Amino acid sequence: MNDTLASQAASEPAAVWAAALGTGGVFVLMIVVVWQIAATWRARMLAGREEEYRRLATKYAELLEDNTEILRRYTDELAQVRTSVGSVERMMREVD
């Protein structure tokens, strides 16, 4: 029974073309599905990388603010030391 159907299908050109187009369509569909899965995976990876960059930028901004505050404190302390050294120099000149 199957042999007769196969021989009839092979003898009809329309059936051969239909089978070829159906098989080609299935392969094209599989390629598109795999392509879309890969594109989705890549987009998720890029989004994760972007989120990591955003976190690093936030952390960098916080560290920069901390460093600016430390620099301001050191500048204030250095100004106080300069004032004190200037006072000591004046006092030393007056003693001479």
Side-chain angles (χ1 to χ4, degrees):
M1 176 87 177
N2 288 336
D3 292 334
T4 58
L5 288 177
S7 66
Q8 284 177 348
S11 66
E12 295 181 27
V16 172
W17 279 104
L21 287 176
T23 304
V26 168
F27 281 120
V28 168
L29 178 66
M30 288 173 49
I31 289 170
V32 168
V33 167
V34 169
W35 190 279
Q36 288 301 315
I37 289 171
T40 302
W41 177 77
R42 184 170 184 240
R44 285 182 185 172
M45 294 300 287
L46 290 175
R49 189 181 306 162
E50 183 178 326
E51 182 63 31
E52 184 65 26
Y53 285 145
R54 197 172 290 131
R55 271 188 254 137
L56 285 174
T58 303
K59 185 175 180 178
Y60 174 75
E62 291 171 0
L63 290 174
L64 186 61
E65 288 175 6
D66 292 345
N67 285 342
T68 303
E69 178 61 27
I70 290 170
L71 180 62
R72 186 193 59 76
R73 276 191 252 146
Y74 285 155
T75 304
D76 292 345
E77 288 178 16
L78 182 61
Q80 290 174 356
V81 168
R82 284 183 180 167
T83 304
S84 298
V85 169
S87 298
V88 169
E89 285 177 351
R90 275 194 305 268
M91 192 170 42
M92 296 288 280
R93 286 186 191 136
E94 290 176 5
V95 170
D96 285 342

